[in-house]
mmCIF file of all heavy atoms in Angstrom:
data_model
loop_
_atom_site.group_PDB
_atom_site.id
_atom_site.type_symbol
_atom_site.label_atom_id
_atom_site.label_comp_id
_atom_site.label_asym_id
_atom_site.label_seq_id
_atom_site.Cartn_x
_atom_site.Cartn_y
_atom_site.Cartn_z
ATOM 1 N N LEU A 1 31.106 39.667 -5.074
ATOM 2 C CA LEU A 1 31.970 39.064 -4.052
ATOM 3 C C LEU A 1 31.894 39.826 -2.727
ATOM 4 O O LEU A 1 31.933 39.215 -1.657
ATOM 5 C CB LEU A 1 33.414 39.019 -4.549
ATOM 6 C CG LEU A 1 33.758 37.934 -5.578
ATOM 7 C CD1 LEU A 1 35.234 37.991 -5.937
ATOM 8 C CD2 LEU A 1 33.391 36.550 -5.065
ATOM 9 N N LEU A 2 31.800 41.149 -2.794
ATOM 10 C CA LEU A 2 31.701 41.930 -1.561
ATOM 11 C C LEU A 2 30.445 41.559 -0.772
ATOM 12 O O LEU A 2 30.479 41.459 0.458
ATOM 13 C CB LEU A 2 31.701 43.430 -1.872
ATOM 14 C CG LEU A 2 33.028 44.023 -2.351
ATOM 15 C CD1 LEU A 2 32.847 45.492 -2.718
ATOM 16 C CD2 LEU A 2 34.122 43.880 -1.297
ATOM 17 N N LYS A 3 29.346 41.340 -1.473
ATOM 18 C CA LYS A 3 28.108 40.912 -0.805
ATOM 19 C C LYS A 3 28.307 39.565 -0.116
ATOM 20 O O LYS A 3 27.854 39.348 1.004
ATOM 21 C CB LYS A 3 26.971 40.777 -1.828
ATOM 22 C CG LYS A 3 26.328 42.079 -2.263
ATOM 23 C CD LYS A 3 25.183 41.760 -3.229
ATOM 24 C CE LYS A 3 24.539 43.023 -3.765
ATOM 25 N NZ LYS A 3 23.452 42.700 -4.739
ATOM 26 N N GLU A 4 28.992 38.661 -0.801
ATOM 27 C CA GLU A 4 29.151 37.298 -0.298
ATOM 28 C C GLU A 4 30.084 37.223 0.903
ATOM 29 O O GLU A 4 29.877 36.401 1.809
ATOM 30 C CB GLU A 4 29.677 36.404 -1.423
ATOM 31 C CG GLU A 4 29.734 34.937 -1.064
ATOM 32 C CD GLU A 4 30.164 34.065 -2.239
ATOM 33 O OE1 GLU A 4 30.273 34.587 -3.377
ATOM 34 O OE2 GLU A 4 30.411 32.865 -2.015
ATOM 35 N N TYR A 5 31.103 38.089 0.943
ATOM 36 C CA TYR A 5 32.143 37.970 1.971
ATOM 37 C C TYR A 5 32.296 39.233 2.821
ATOM 38 O O TYR A 5 33.395 39.595 3.210
ATOM 39 C CB TYR A 5 33.481 37.645 1.310
ATOM 40 C CG TYR A 5 33.520 36.303 0.618
ATOM 41 C CD1 TYR A 5 33.508 36.214 -0.769
ATOM 42 C CD2 TYR A 5 33.565 35.120 1.355
ATOM 43 C CE1 TYR A 5 33.551 34.992 -1.413
ATOM 44 C CE2 TYR A 5 33.610 33.882 0.726
ATOM 45 C CZ TYR A 5 33.594 33.827 -0.663
ATOM 46 O OH TYR A 5 33.615 32.610 -1.288
ATOM 47 N N SER A 6 31.203 39.896 3.135
ATOM 48 C CA SER A 6 31.288 41.164 3.871
ATOM 49 C C SER A 6 31.325 40.988 5.390
ATOM 50 O O SER A 6 31.754 41.900 6.112
ATOM 51 C CB SER A 6 30.095 42.057 3.508
ATOM 52 O OG SER A 6 28.880 41.422 3.871
ATOM 53 N N GLU A 7 30.916 39.849 5.870
ATOM 54 C CA GLU A 7 30.810 39.654 7.323
ATOM 55 C C GLU A 7 32.172 39.782 8.007
ATOM 56 O O GLU A 7 33.179 39.262 7.536
ATOM 57 C CB GLU A 7 30.206 38.284 7.644
ATOM 58 C CG GLU A 7 29.918 38.087 9.128
ATOM 59 C CD GLU A 7 29.337 36.717 9.445
ATOM 60 O OE1 GLU A 7 29.010 35.970 8.505
ATOM 61 O OE2 GLU A 7 29.224 36.393 10.647
ATOM 62 N N GLY A 8 32.193 40.517 9.111
ATOM 63 C CA GLY A 8 33.419 40.654 9.892
ATOM 64 C C GLY A 8 34.411 41.647 9.341
ATOM 65 O O GLY A 8 35.541 41.731 9.822
ATOM 66 N N LEU A 9 33.995 42.421 8.319
ATOM 67 C CA LEU A 9 34.904 43.384 7.702
ATOM 68 C C LEU A 9 34.453 44.818 7.946
ATOM 69 O O LEU A 9 33.264 45.116 7.986
ATOM 70 C CB LEU A 9 34.999 43.136 6.190
ATOM 71 C CG LEU A 9 35.672 41.830 5.762
ATOM 72 C CD1 LEU A 9 35.564 41.659 4.259
ATOM 73 C CD2 LEU A 9 37.131 41.811 6.203
ATOM 74 N N VAL A 10 35.436 45.694 8.091
ATOM 75 C CA VAL A 10 35.226 47.137 8.141
ATOM 76 C C VAL A 10 35.694 47.695 6.799
ATOM 77 O O VAL A 10 36.747 47.283 6.294
ATOM 78 C CB VAL A 10 36.038 47.780 9.287
ATOM 79 C CG1 VAL A 10 35.863 49.298 9.290
ATOM 80 C CG2 VAL A 10 35.616 47.189 10.626
ATOM 81 N N ALA A 11 34.918 48.608 6.209
ATOM 82 C CA ALA A 11 35.258 49.144 4.887
ATOM 83 C C ALA A 11 35.374 50.662 4.927
ATOM 84 O O ALA A 11 34.594 51.335 5.608
ATOM 85 C CB ALA A 11 34.212 48.726 3.859
ATOM 86 N N PHE A 12 36.362 51.194 4.191
ATOM 87 C CA PHE A 12 36.555 52.642 4.011
ATOM 88 C C PHE A 12 36.486 52.967 2.516
ATOM 89 O O PHE A 12 36.838 52.140 1.678
ATOM 90 C CB PHE A 12 37.937 53.107 4.483
ATOM 91 C CG PHE A 12 38.267 52.846 5.924
ATOM 92 C CD1 PHE A 12 39.582 52.953 6.345
ATOM 93 C CD2 PHE A 12 37.300 52.504 6.848
ATOM 94 C CE1 PHE A 12 39.931 52.728 7.671
ATOM 95 C CE2 PHE A 12 37.643 52.274 8.174
ATOM 96 C CZ PHE A 12 38.958 52.380 8.587
ATOM 97 N N THR A 13 36.150 54.206 2.205
ATOM 98 C CA THR A 13 36.066 54.633 0.800
ATOM 99 C C THR A 13 37.433 54.779 0.138
ATOM 100 O O THR A 13 37.502 55.001 -1.070
ATOM 101 C CB THR A 13 35.320 55.967 0.678
ATOM 102 O OG1 THR A 13 35.857 56.904 1.628
ATOM 103 C CG2 THR A 13 33.836 55.791 0.928
ATOM 104 N N ALA A 14 38.505 54.692 0.888
ATOM 105 C CA ALA A 14 39.881 54.725 0.360
ATOM 106 C C ALA A 14 40.313 56.131 -0.061
ATOM 107 O O ALA A 14 39.707 57.134 0.319
ATOM 108 C CB ALA A 14 40.073 53.722 -0.772
ATOM 109 N N CYS A 15 41.389 56.171 -0.851
ATOM 110 C CA CYS A 15 42.034 57.425 -1.233
ATOM 111 C C CYS A 15 41.314 58.063 -2.428
ATOM 112 O O CYS A 15 40.162 57.739 -2.724
ATOM 113 C CB CYS A 15 43.497 57.148 -1.579
ATOM 114 S SG CYS A 15 43.666 55.883 -2.873
ATOM 115 N N ILE A 16 41.996 58.937 -3.138
ATOM 116 C CA ILE A 16 41.426 59.588 -4.320
ATOM 117 C C ILE A 16 40.897 58.566 -5.319
ATOM 118 O O ILE A 16 39.928 58.820 -6.030
ATOM 119 C CB ILE A 16 42.488 60.488 -4.995
ATOM 120 C CG1 ILE A 16 42.689 61.768 -4.177
ATOM 121 C CG2 ILE A 16 42.102 60.844 -6.420
ATOM 122 C CD1 ILE A 16 43.725 62.692 -4.751
ATOM 123 N N ALA A 17 41.522 57.386 -5.379
ATOM 124 C CA ALA A 17 41.158 56.374 -6.371
ATOM 125 C C ALA A 17 39.936 55.550 -5.975
ATOM 126 O O ALA A 17 39.553 54.635 -6.698
ATOM 127 C CB ALA A 17 42.344 55.448 -6.628
ATOM 128 N N GLY A 18 39.311 55.854 -4.842
ATOM 129 C CA GLY A 18 38.110 55.137 -4.435
ATOM 130 C C GLY A 18 36.910 55.499 -5.303
ATOM 131 O O GLY A 18 36.883 56.551 -5.949
ATOM 132 N N GLU A 19 35.894 54.656 -5.301
ATOM 133 C CA GLU A 19 34.697 54.894 -6.126
ATOM 134 C C GLU A 19 33.975 56.170 -5.730
ATOM 135 O O GLU A 19 33.675 57.013 -6.582
ATOM 136 C CB GLU A 19 33.748 53.692 -6.013
ATOM 137 C CG GLU A 19 32.472 53.864 -6.834
ATOM 138 C CD GLU A 19 31.505 52.704 -6.691
ATOM 139 O OE1 GLU A 19 31.837 51.720 -5.980
ATOM 140 O OE2 GLU A 19 30.408 52.772 -7.288
ATOM 141 N N VAL A 20 33.700 56.328 -4.452
ATOM 142 C CA VAL A 20 32.966 57.520 -3.989
ATOM 143 C C VAL A 20 33.784 58.795 -4.209
ATOM 144 O O VAL A 20 33.258 59.777 -4.752
ATOM 145 C CB VAL A 20 32.547 57.358 -2.508
ATOM 146 C CG1 VAL A 20 31.873 58.628 -1.991
ATOM 147 C CG2 VAL A 20 31.599 56.163 -2.352
ATOM 148 N N PRO A 21 35.078 58.825 -3.838
ATOM 149 C CA PRO A 21 35.881 60.027 -4.127
ATOM 150 C C PRO A 21 35.929 60.380 -5.612
ATOM 151 O O PRO A 21 35.857 61.564 -5.972
ATOM 152 C CB PRO A 21 37.278 59.639 -3.612
ATOM 153 C CG PRO A 21 37.011 58.679 -2.515
ATOM 154 C CD PRO A 21 35.833 57.876 -2.985
ATOM 155 N N GLN A 22 36.024 59.381 -6.481
ATOM 156 C CA GLN A 22 36.078 59.667 -7.913
ATOM 157 C C GLN A 22 34.773 60.281 -8.414
ATOM 158 O O GLN A 22 34.773 61.195 -9.242
ATOM 159 C CB GLN A 22 36.403 58.393 -8.696
ATOM 160 C CG GLN A 22 37.875 58.052 -8.729
ATOM 161 C CD GLN A 22 38.702 59.083 -9.483
ATOM 162 O OE1 GLN A 22 38.430 59.398 -10.636
ATOM 163 N NE2 GLN A 22 39.704 59.643 -8.814
ATOM 164 N N LEU A 23 33.655 59.794 -7.934
ATOM 165 C CA LEU A 23 32.358 60.360 -8.327
ATOM 166 C C LEU A 23 32.223 61.797 -7.839
ATOM 167 O O LEU A 23 31.683 62.658 -8.548
ATOM 168 C CB LEU A 23 31.225 59.489 -7.780
ATOM 169 C CG LEU A 23 31.054 58.126 -8.457
ATOM 170 C CD1 LEU A 23 30.092 57.247 -7.669
ATOM 171 C CD2 LEU A 23 30.574 58.292 -9.893
ATOM 172 N N ILE A 24 32.746 62.083 -6.660
ATOM 173 C CA ILE A 24 32.728 63.460 -6.147
ATOM 174 C C ILE A 24 33.557 64.358 -7.056
ATOM 175 O O ILE A 24 33.130 65.467 -7.424
ATOM 176 C CB ILE A 24 33.250 63.513 -4.698
ATOM 177 C CG1 ILE A 24 32.261 62.830 -3.748
ATOM 178 C CG2 ILE A 24 33.512 64.956 -4.257
ATOM 179 C CD1 ILE A 24 32.790 62.628 -2.350
ATOM 180 N N LEU A 25 34.748 63.886 -7.439
ATOM 181 C CA LEU A 25 35.613 64.665 -8.328
ATOM 182 C C LEU A 25 34.943 64.956 -9.668
ATOM 183 O O LEU A 25 35.157 66.009 -10.272
ATOM 184 C CB LEU A 25 36.921 63.916 -8.573
ATOM 185 C CG LEU A 25 38.096 64.192 -7.640
ATOM 186 C CD1 LEU A 25 39.339 63.476 -8.158
ATOM 187 C CD2 LEU A 25 38.370 65.673 -7.500
ATOM 188 N N GLN A 26 34.130 64.024 -10.134
ATOM 189 C CA GLN A 26 33.442 64.183 -11.410
ATOM 190 C C GLN A 26 32.181 65.032 -11.295
ATOM 191 O O GLN A 26 31.466 65.224 -12.274
ATOM 192 C CB GLN A 26 33.090 62.805 -11.980
ATOM 193 C CG GLN A 26 34.304 61.958 -12.345
ATOM 194 C CD GLN A 26 33.975 60.483 -12.496
ATOM 195 O OE1 GLN A 26 32.807 60.101 -12.605
ATOM 196 N NE2 GLN A 26 35.008 59.643 -12.483
ATOM 197 N N GLY A 27 31.914 65.533 -10.088
ATOM 198 C CA GLY A 27 30.737 66.367 -9.883
ATOM 199 C C GLY A 27 29.438 65.588 -9.785
ATOM 200 O O GLY A 27 28.354 66.159 -9.868
ATOM 201 N N GLN A 28 29.539 64.286 -9.589
ATOM 202 C CA GLN A 28 28.343 63.435 -9.527
ATOM 203 C C GLN A 28 27.982 63.148 -8.064
ATOM 204 O O GLN A 28 28.121 62.031 -7.566
ATOM 205 C CB GLN A 28 28.588 62.136 -10.286
ATOM 206 C CG GLN A 28 28.917 62.328 -11.757
ATOM 207 C CD GLN A 28 29.050 61.009 -12.482
ATOM 208 O OE1 GLN A 28 28.161 60.156 -12.438
ATOM 209 N NE2 GLN A 28 30.188 60.818 -13.150
ATOM 210 N N HIS A 29 27.504 64.169 -7.374
ATOM 211 C CA HIS A 29 27.250 64.052 -5.940
ATOM 212 C C HIS A 29 26.188 62.996 -5.644
ATOM 213 O O HIS A 29 26.332 62.201 -4.715
ATOM 214 C CB HIS A 29 26.820 65.394 -5.364
ATOM 215 C CG HIS A 29 26.549 65.350 -3.883
ATOM 216 N ND1 HIS A 29 27.544 65.422 -2.943
ATOM 217 C CD2 HIS A 29 25.387 65.195 -3.187
ATOM 218 C CE1 HIS A 29 27.026 65.333 -1.728
ATOM 219 N NE2 HIS A 29 25.707 65.194 -1.854
ATOM 220 N N GLU A 30 25.101 62.981 -6.411
ATOM 221 C CA GLU A 30 24.029 62.033 -6.148
ATOM 222 C C GLU A 30 24.494 60.601 -6.374
ATOM 223 O O GLU A 30 24.169 59.697 -5.601
ATOM 224 C CB GLU A 30 22.819 62.338 -7.033
ATOM 225 C CG GLU A 30 21.599 61.458 -6.784
ATOM 226 C CD GLU A 30 21.111 61.482 -5.332
ATOM 227 O OE1 GLU A 30 21.362 62.493 -4.625
ATOM 228 O OE2 GLU A 30 20.496 60.488 -4.894
ATOM 229 N N ALA A 31 25.283 60.378 -7.429
ATOM 230 C CA ALA A 31 25.826 59.043 -7.683
ATOM 231 C C ALA A 31 26.784 58.623 -6.567
ATOM 232 O O ALA A 31 26.802 57.458 -6.154
ATOM 233 C CB ALA A 31 26.544 59.012 -9.031
ATOM 234 N N ALA A 32 27.567 59.583 -6.070
ATOM 235 C CA ALA A 32 28.480 59.300 -4.959
ATOM 236 C C ALA A 32 27.699 58.925 -3.704
ATOM 237 O O ALA A 32 28.063 57.987 -2.983
ATOM 238 C CB ALA A 32 29.366 60.513 -4.688
ATOM 239 N N ARG A 33 26.614 59.634 -3.456
ATOM 240 C CA ARG A 33 25.777 59.344 -2.279
ATOM 241 C C ARG A 33 25.154 57.951 -2.390
ATOM 242 O O ARG A 33 25.128 57.191 -1.419
ATOM 243 C CB ARG A 33 24.691 60.409 -2.149
ATOM 244 C CG ARG A 33 23.929 60.376 -0.821
ATOM 245 C CD ARG A 33 22.896 61.495 -0.763
ATOM 246 N NE ARG A 33 21.791 61.193 -1.658
ATOM 247 C CZ ARG A 33 20.735 60.441 -1.319
ATOM 248 N NH1 ARG A 33 20.655 59.928 -0.105
ATOM 249 N NH2 ARG A 33 19.774 60.208 -2.170
ATOM 250 N N LYS A 34 24.673 57.609 -3.591
ATOM 251 C CA LYS A 34 24.064 56.297 -3.798
ATOM 252 C C LYS A 34 25.089 55.181 -3.632
ATOM 253 O O LYS A 34 24.794 54.125 -3.061
ATOM 254 C CB LYS A 34 23.428 56.227 -5.190
ATOM 255 C CG LYS A 34 22.116 56.999 -5.306
ATOM 256 C CD LYS A 34 21.513 56.851 -6.700
ATOM 257 C CE LYS A 34 20.190 57.589 -6.800
ATOM 258 N NZ LYS A 34 19.601 57.494 -8.164
ATOM 259 N N ALA A 35 26.301 55.410 -4.146
ATOM 260 C CA ALA A 35 27.362 54.409 -3.984
ATOM 261 C C ALA A 35 27.690 54.209 -2.507
ATOM 262 O O ALA A 35 27.849 53.074 -2.038
ATOM 263 C CB ALA A 35 28.604 54.838 -4.758
ATOM 264 N N ALA A 36 27.779 55.306 -1.763
ATOM 265 C CA ALA A 36 28.068 55.218 -0.331
ATOM 266 C C ALA A 36 26.967 54.448 0.398
ATOM 267 O O ALA A 36 27.240 53.622 1.281
ATOM 268 C CB ALA A 36 28.215 56.622 0.256
ATOM 269 N N LEU A 37 25.715 54.700 0.016
ATOM 270 C CA LEU A 37 24.592 54.004 0.654
ATOM 271 C C LEU A 37 24.608 52.510 0.320
ATOM 272 O O LEU A 37 24.194 51.687 1.137
ATOM 273 C CB LEU A 37 23.267 54.638 0.235
ATOM 274 C CG LEU A 37 22.980 56.003 0.863
ATOM 275 C CD1 LEU A 37 21.759 56.638 0.222
ATOM 276 C CD2 LEU A 37 22.790 55.879 2.376
ATOM 277 N N TRP A 38 25.085 52.160 -0.885
ATOM 278 C CA TRP A 38 25.186 50.731 -1.228
ATOM 279 C C TRP A 38 26.204 50.054 -0.311
ATOM 280 O O TRP A 38 25.940 48.973 0.226
ATOM 281 C CB TRP A 38 25.618 50.557 -2.689
ATOM 282 C CG TRP A 38 25.635 49.116 -3.097
ATOM 283 C CD1 TRP A 38 24.591 48.383 -3.582
ATOM 284 C CD2 TRP A 38 26.748 48.208 -2.994
ATOM 285 N NE1 TRP A 38 24.979 47.079 -3.800
ATOM 286 C CE2 TRP A 38 26.297 46.939 -3.455
ATOM 287 C CE3 TRP A 38 28.069 48.340 -2.582
ATOM 288 C CZ2 TRP A 38 27.136 45.826 -3.491
ATOM 289 C CZ3 TRP A 38 28.896 47.225 -2.613
ATOM 290 C CH2 TRP A 38 28.437 45.981 -3.068
ATOM 291 N N TYR A 39 27.354 50.685 -0.118
ATOM 292 C CA TYR A 39 28.362 50.106 0.764
ATOM 293 C C TYR A 39 27.854 50.043 2.210
ATOM 294 O O TYR A 39 28.133 49.088 2.937
ATOM 295 C CB TYR A 39 29.664 50.912 0.701
ATOM 296 C CG TYR A 39 30.452 50.677 -0.560
ATOM 297 C CD1 TYR A 39 30.543 51.651 -1.558
ATOM 298 C CD2 TYR A 39 31.106 49.464 -0.775
ATOM 299 C CE1 TYR A 39 31.260 51.427 -2.732
ATOM 300 C CE2 TYR A 39 31.832 49.230 -1.940
ATOM 301 C CZ TYR A 39 31.907 50.215 -2.905
ATOM 302 O OH TYR A 39 32.607 49.980 -4.064
ATOM 303 N N LYS A 40 27.081 51.046 2.611
ATOM 304 C CA LYS A 40 26.510 51.039 3.964
ATOM 305 C C LYS A 40 25.546 49.868 4.118
ATOM 306 O O LYS A 40 25.493 49.219 5.173
ATOM 307 C CB LYS A 40 25.786 52.352 4.243
ATOM 308 C CG LYS A 40 25.197 52.440 5.649
ATOM 309 C CD LYS A 40 24.458 53.743 5.882
ATOM 310 C CE LYS A 40 23.902 53.807 7.301
ATOM 311 N NZ LYS A 40 23.156 55.068 7.538
ATOM 312 N N GLU A 41 24.776 49.592 3.068
ATOM 313 C CA GLU A 41 23.847 48.461 3.103
ATOM 314 C C GLU A 41 24.596 47.145 3.261
ATOM 315 O O GLU A 41 24.159 46.241 3.972
ATOM 316 C CB GLU A 41 23.018 48.443 1.815
ATOM 317 C CG GLU A 41 22.000 47.314 1.747
ATOM 318 C CD GLU A 41 21.251 47.280 0.429
ATOM 319 O OE1 GLU A 41 21.295 48.275 -0.309
ATOM 320 O OE2 GLU A 41 20.637 46.238 0.138
ATOM 321 N N ILE A 42 25.752 47.023 2.604
ATOM 322 C CA ILE A 42 26.519 45.781 2.649
ATOM 323 C C ILE A 42 27.278 45.630 3.966
ATOM 324 O O ILE A 42 27.291 44.561 4.581
ATOM 325 C CB ILE A 42 27.515 45.712 1.471
ATOM 326 C CG1 ILE A 42 26.765 45.718 0.141
ATOM 327 C CG2 ILE A 42 28.406 44.474 1.576
ATOM 328 C CD1 ILE A 42 25.747 44.607 -0.026
ATOM 329 N N PHE A 43 27.918 46.709 4.431
ATOM 330 C CA PHE A 43 28.783 46.629 5.613
ATOM 331 C C PHE A 43 28.135 47.183 6.888
ATOM 332 O O PHE A 43 28.734 47.105 7.960
ATOM 333 C CB PHE A 43 30.099 47.361 5.337
ATOM 334 C CG PHE A 43 30.939 46.713 4.278
ATOM 335 C CD1 PHE A 43 30.947 47.190 2.970
ATOM 336 C CD2 PHE A 43 31.709 45.603 4.567
ATOM 337 C CE1 PHE A 43 31.715 46.596 1.985
ATOM 338 C CE2 PHE A 43 32.489 44.986 3.586
ATOM 339 C CZ PHE A 43 32.475 45.481 2.289
ATOM 340 N N GLY A 44 26.946 47.766 6.753
ATOM 341 C CA GLY A 44 26.236 48.276 7.919
ATOM 342 C C GLY A 44 27.008 49.379 8.625
ATOM 343 O O GLY A 44 27.564 50.280 7.993
#
């Protein structure tokens, strides 16, 4: 759905409960970086 309806939207990684912050907390830096790059691809 995010891919389909991303136009005209600004996106943030959110609070502690966000996907990227949670991956950082779990020590998964590379997974967090990849997730961030996916959102960058969608929202530019």
